[in-house]
Structure formats: C-alpha cells, structure tokens
Amino acid sequence: MPWKHSLVAKFSLFYTGIVLLLLAASFLYSGGVVKRLYTSFLQKKFQQEAKIVSRLLSSQLEGEALDKLCRLIATDLGVRLTVIAPDGKVLGDSEEPSSTMENHGTRPEVLEALAGGTGESIRYSTTVGYEMLYQAIVDRAGPSPRILRLSVPLGDIEEVIGSMRRAILVGLVLISAVGLVFAYLFSRRLGQRVGRMADFSQKVALGSFPQNFFPRKGEDELTLLEQNLNEMSVKIREKIKEILVEKEKVDSILRCMIEGLVVIDTRGTVVLLNDNARQMFHLAANQSFSGASFMEVSRHPEMKKLVEEVLACDCSRECFSKEVSLDEGRWVRVNAVSLRDGDEHPLGYILVFHDITEIKRLETVRADFVANVSHELRTPLTAIRGYVETLLRNPPADPEESQNFLAIVHRHSERLGRLIDDLLTLSDLESGKIQLAREEIEAGDLIRRVEEIFKDQASKKGVAFSHQIDPELPTIVGDPDRLQQLLINLVDNAVKYTAAGGQVKITARASDHTRGAERGAVQVAVVDTGCGIPAKDLPRLTERFYRVDKARSRELGGTGLGLAIVKHIVQAHGGQLKIESKPQQGTTVSVTLPGAIADKKANGVLFLCTANSCRSQMAEGFTRAIAPKETRVFSAGTEPKEIHPLAVKVMEEAGIDISNQTSKGLQAMPLEQIDLVVTLCGEAAESCPTLPPNTRHLHWPLPDPTIAQGDEREVLEAFRKVRDEIRTQVEKLFSLNP
Ligand code: ADP
C-alpha cells in the first residue's frame, strides 16, 4: 500500500496539523493573556502605591516643589507620578514642569477616578511616544481632593510577552516533536494491527477461516475486536462443517435413492437433480443444467406437459401423482410436492420419479397370465363339454365312434389335469411355499431314472436316446423330486420337439471353474437335434405360457409352463439355467447345480486377495454381520497392508465399521482353523499362492477398486460397486448355510 494512503501517514499528518494549530493558538492567545495579567497586577500595585504616595505628598505643595517631590517618589517607584486638581489642572509631575502641562480634566482615567474614586486607561502617549498604563486615584487626605495618577510605559511588557512567546514556542515545538514520535509509533502499531485485520478479512473472503489468528495481547478495544473475530472464525468454520456434513448426508440420501429426484423452482427451472434422474433422462454425469428449465433438461414432450400440470396444481394440500410413459417402453410414476419456506411462500417443487417399467411389465404379465389360464382351461373344457354333450344327446350308433369320443374326452381331461398340476406347482414354487429337501444326490442316478421314463416314448417316436455321465461327478445337493421334475420337463420338451430320426442326449459333468462358479458344481444338459428355437424367442421361453408355436405345443400336449417350472426349480437350488438353440439344428438346455461341497458349514472363512486387501476386508465386515456367531472370519492380502480409507467409508455407509479390522499377510493366518477360502481378486484364483490345504475354495472375481480410473467421486463409486457385489455374494454364501 502506498505510504500516503497508509494509516500511519494519515495519523501523522493529522497530528502534525493539530500541533501546528495548537502552536498558532498558543502563540496568539498567550500574548493577550500575559498582557491582561500584567496590567491587572500593575493596577493593584498602583492602587497601593497611590495610597502611600498620598501620605508622602503634602497638600500644601504646589508648582516646582511638588514637581521635585513627585520626581523623587517616582524615581523610587519606577513610575511617572502626576498630581491633578479636580478641575484637571496639573499640580505636579515627575517628568515635566507642571506649569507647562495642559489641562488633564478630559483624560479618561481622571474622569473615571472623579466619578468612582479610581480610574484606569491604557493608551498611546503622544508625550512619550509609546503605550502607557495610567492609574488614577482620588486622594481626599488634604483639605481639597486631588487626583494622583501613576503611569508606566507598557513597552516593557511587550518585550516580556515576546520573550515569553519565544519560550512557549520552543517548549511547544520540543513537546510536539516528542509527541509526533509517539504518535508515529502508536499509529504504526495501530496500522499493523488493522493491517492484520485486513489480512484476516481477506482470508475469510477467500473461504479459509483461520484459527486463533490474533494472539491475545492486552485488554483494549482492539484486542476485544480481535478476540471476537477469532471466535467468529471458529464459529463460522464449525457452521460450515455442520453444513457440509448435512450436505453430505443429503447427497448420500440422494445417491442411495433408487428413485430419480428433481427439484424445480416456481418457474420450472432445475435446481437439483440426483444421479438416477440424470440416468433416466440420459444426462451425462458432469453435464451442467444451471438455469435450464426442466423441459430443456429432460427433452421429452411428456415432461413438458407434466411440469405444466405440476406448476398449475396446488401440491401443498395433496401429493400430485401421475404415470408417464417415456421412450423405449419405460414408465415412470411421478410424485410431486410443493416446497415452501417458513412463511408458506412457494419455493418450488420436488418431483420424485419411480421407474415402474417392471411393475407395468408384471401387470401385463399378470393380465396375460389370467387371459392365458382362462384360455388354456377353456380349450380342453370346451372340447370335453362338446363331446360329452354329443354322447348324451346323439350317442353314436357305432360303439367304436363312442370309444373315440371318450378317448378324446380322456385326453383333454388329462391335459386339463396336467395344466392344473403345473399351475399349482408353479404357484407353490413362486410363493416359496414348497420346502425344498436338501439331500445329497448322484446326478447319474437321477439321469438314469429319467431316461427309464422316456426310453419307450422316444423309441416309439424314432428318436435315439442316450446319456453321457462323467465318471468323476461330484455329488449335488437338492430336492430329488424337484430335480427329477426339472429333468422330466427338459427331456419331455426335447423328445416332443425332435422329429423321428433325431437324437436326444443327457450329459452330466463337473462344472468348469468359470467366473463366479463354485468348485464342485455339476452341469446337466439336455441336448436334442430337434426343430430348434428362433433367437428372438429365447429370452422369453421361461415366461409362463410362452410358446414358439402355440398350436404345435397344444397338439403335443404341452401346457406352456414346463420351462417356467424349470427356471423356478433351478433358482430355488441356487443354480443357473442356460438355453442355446439354432432353428432346424437343435437345442441344448443346460442347468448348473451347486455341489454338495458348497453346502458344508464353513466355520472358519478366510477372504483372500493377492493385491490390495480392501476387498477381503469388506467381505470380512459383511461376514461378521451376517454369518452365524460361531463362524471364525479372517481376511488377508498376500502382504500386510493398511486398510484403504475409502473401503472404511463405503462400509460405514452400509452400516458396518471395519476401521478396527487388521489386514494381515497370508503368512499370519491360522490356516488350521480355516475350512473355506474365498478369493476375491480379479486375476485367476490360481494366482493366490500357498492356499491352505484341505479346504474348499470359492472364487469371487472382483476388480480392484483402488486402481479404478477417474476422479475421487468415480473411485468412490467403484468402491461402492465392489462393496455391493461383495454383500450379495456373502449373503448368498450364508443363505446357503442356514
Ligand atoms: P410346452 O409345454 O409348450 O412345451 P415349455 O415351457 O416347456 O412349454 O416350453 C415353452 C416353449 O419353448 C415351447 O412351446 C416350445 O415352443 C419351446 N421349446 C421348449 N423346449 C424346446 C426344444 N427342446 N426344442 C424346441 N422348442 C422348444
């Protein structure tokens, strides 16, 4: 800052000005005061001297004799003495012969003395040529009164005043100089403190709130101000921290919401959008929407109508709700409420978008199902009723014809029975009413039994039936009746949809050690060389009543529920279903079922990573929360490592504290206590060296979130994704071990 603008300069100049004014005032004022004091002192002195003089002067004396006596007395007193008669005639004078002096009757001091006993006057004396002080007193000691006038030149006093002024000036200049130095020092100190306050305010303006910026020195007002600023900074910092925590909470809520959330103001401008809303309206994660209307942001004509309706409605009383169809067959239900301040003034609206596409789909499925069931039931019933009525009203004469009719009625009633059985099975499976048995089963036995059932049927149709069962097949675990039903449905389809001359084969082998699959699982496949299924139909085959060729299926006695039942049985066993088919070439339906080994209780679980141990730490956290109490849980990386802070954070979001977990190396693990090892690294499980012997092994290949690309938010998202996958796997693992 230039010096001339500084506080020090301003204070110094101000002080100098004051000093100069003071000097000028004292210079001018002191002369008058001294003169007044001096003259009043002389007047008092003259009054006393006049009394003495009156006693010394004989009233008889006049003329030269009086002049002489006057001169003697005046010399001793150091004054001029004049004796004046009441008529103004000068009777005697100490300096001039009284006979030559003019009448003094008009002199102001004489007139004043005659009137009041004493008189005084200061005036320029033409006789002596400078200013004189005259003091006249009426002397009534003699027979006739006379006036004694003492006078003294005031020239001396001017000299006294001059030298006194010089002394005052020198004294004041010295004092002012010292004062100026003090003023400079004081203003410099003040300037420094004010400058520090300016620094402080700049820091606050830039958003940093320094702690204890001002030291506590002294008790003055500035210190008080500084301490208040210190306190203010701490309070603001705390408030900002609180606001940030609140914001983080709101952000977390918005992030965790599965609904899309949009906040608009009263003009329809977007104020806030959560990630799900961005996804719903295909907005990039970093796309800015500030100042844009919601219609521009959503770019959907339905949204334009919706916002108009929301803005027009009084959502304060009741919640606005509407279902809207978006592109690509998506449906959303929009609920809107108005946002108001404390005085009930509208601020905007909160719009919550629920994706109800699945609900809508299920509604359609349900409606289709009811229509399908009615139709499927009515078809055989109509046939049965028709034939029975014919038999009752017009019984055919030919008994063979009657037999034919009855055979048709029988066939349709069988179909009706099958349909009802399948519907009941399906409903039981879907509602979870069926309690699955958990028995160890040899897949080979199961396959052979089913083969027995279909052997004749296949050979009658001219379809070759075979099986191929791996000799080293692990035992599977499950409900034997349900699994048999599953195989019957698959083989029934294969035989049904394979023409004479074709082949049906059941294979069983140990499952590949594929991604996510467990060691010990068994894959059973039913392979045929039948008519095959067009690719477009494949995804819908497991829907109830879905059939590629309805007429053909019915003709072949199908209910359209076989694969739906298969899907549910597979799901209930925690397995996987895969349908591969090529039209005119054949179909392969494979089912992977968990091996018995996965069903054994794990009392000691070790989660293992080759790289960063954060995945095993998260798995340990979830296992501790979910697994039975007696389960011993360990987690390790191949090397000991610090727990990643983001792993701690995302687990905290899931309500689990892993901050106290320790991450040890594999070497430190009590291997004898471990009977299940779960590897979680993205690399092949084999890259984990020295796995504990005699343990079963699961592999959950998950990416390492610590090496995720992107900014902090994206890395955090990667952690959350891995956390959620781990949670699903752990839940699955321990729901298998009730
Ligand atoms: P359905 O009782 O009609 O066989 P499913 O649910 O078992 O009902 O099968 C659904 C549809 O899938 C069948 O209608 C048929 O069109 C097709 N499908 C199932 N298995 C095969 C197969 N092995 N070969 C060709 N098509 C098949």
Side-chain angles (χ1 to χ4, degrees), residues 415 418 422 489-498 504 526-534 537 540-550 552-554 556-566 579-581 586-589:
R415 188 166 128 70
R418 261 200 318 276
D422 278 0
N489 284 8
L490 294 183
V491 175
D492 183 44
N493 278 350
V495 174
K496 246 183 345 196
Y497 297 108
T498 304
V504 172
V526 177
V527 188
D528 67 57
T529 57
C531 62
I533 305 160
D537 295 304
R540 300 194 58 190
L541 286 182
T542 53
E543 284 176 22
R544 292 166 299 189
F545 297 116
Y546 189 84
R547 284 174 284 203
V548 178
D549 182 340
K550 274 199 173 90
R552 187 163 178 209
S553 158
R554 267 196 215 114
L556 295 169
T559 60
L561 297 172
L563 285 180
I565 292 173
V566 166
I579 305 174
E580 296 159 294
S581 185
T587 305
T588 300
V589 184

Side-chain angles (χ1 to χ4, degrees), residues 280 282 300 325-331:
M280 256 176 204
H282 309 294
H300 201 285
S325 154
L326 298 178
D327 44 357
E328 299 154 13
R330 286 184 313 143
W331 278 87

Side-chain angles (χ1 to χ4, degrees), residues 341-585:
D341 64 12
D343 299 327
E344 285 296 298
H345 294 309
L347 296 172
Y349 298 87
I350 302 175
L351 288 89
V352 182
F353 294 81
H354 307 260
D355 191 333
I356 53 164
T357 313
E358 184 59 14
I359 297 172
K360 282 273 177 195
R361 192 187 69 77
L362 290 176
E363 266 175 23
T364 317
V365 168
R366 190 185 53 83
D368 288 353
F369 178 69
V370 173
N372 278 328
V373 170
S374 323
H375 182 73
E376 293 297 329
L377 292 175
R378 203 180 305 118
T379 312
L381 264 181
T382 313
I384 292 168
R385 195 185 297 134
Y387 283 105
V388 171
E389 277 175 6
T390 310
L391 282 171
L392 286 174
R393 284 192 204 133
N394 309 308
D398 185 358
E400 206 176 311
E401 205 177 334
S402 299
Q403 276 295 316
N404 273 346
F405 280 14
L406 285 172
I408 293 170
V409 169
H410 181 249
R411 209 174 65 234
H412 280 295
S413 60
E414 289 240 300
R415 188 166 128 70
L416 207 55
R418 261 200 318 276
L419 194 66
I420 289 165
D421 283 349
D422 278 0
L423 276 173
L424 285 175
T425 310
L426 198 61
S427 136
D428 288 350
L429 281 167
E430 279 186 350
S431 65
K433 235 194 260 169
I434 294 181
Q435 200 50 327
L436 286 188
R438 305 190 76 85
E439 291 173 22
E440 292 199 3
I441 307 163
E442 294 299 332
D445 293 348
L446 195 67
I447 291 167
R448 278 187 273 287
R449 271 206 302 277
V450 173
E451 192 179 358
E452 266 320 297
I453 299 170
F454 282 95
K455 216 164 64 187
D456 285 352
Q457 190 184 333
S459 75
K460 263 186 212 153
K461 203 179 168 188
V463 173
F465 201 109
S466 61
H467 68 249
Q468 188 184 337
I469 302 165
D470 268 5
E472 294 285 299
L473 208 56
T475 312
I476 53 172
V477 71
D479 186 318
D481 291 342
R482 294 293 157 194
L483 290 177
Q484 179 167 324
Q485 188 180 2
L486 175 153
L487 261 188
I488 287 173
N489 284 8
L490 294 183
V491 175
D492 183 44
N493 278 350
V495 174
K496 246 183 345 196
Y497 297 108
T498 304
Q503 289 174 18
V504 172
K505 189 172 171 184
I506 312 179
T507 65
R509 62 186 176 87
S511 167
D512 289 341
H513 183 69
T514 45
R515 282 174 66 86
E518 299 157 1
R519 281 181 180 167
V522 172
Q523 191 187 59
V524 178
V526 177
V527 188
D528 67 57
T529 57
C531 62
I533 305 160
K536 69 171 176 49
D537 295 304
L538 287 175
R540 300 194 58 190
L541 286 182
T542 53
E543 284 176 22
R544 292 166 299 189
F545 297 116
Y546 189 84
R547 284 174 284 203
V548 178
D549 182 340
K550 274 199 173 90
R552 187 163 178 209
S553 158
R554 267 196 215 114
E555 187 194 311
L556 295 169
T559 60
L561 297 172
L563 285 180
I565 292 173
V566 166
K567 184 181 86 177
H568 277 95
I569 295 176
V570 171
Q571 273 176 358
H573 281 82
Q576 283 165 2
L577 172 71
K578 195 158 114 194
I579 305 174
E580 296 159 294
S581 185
K582 282 213 172 114
Q584 312 312 326
Q585 286 186 25

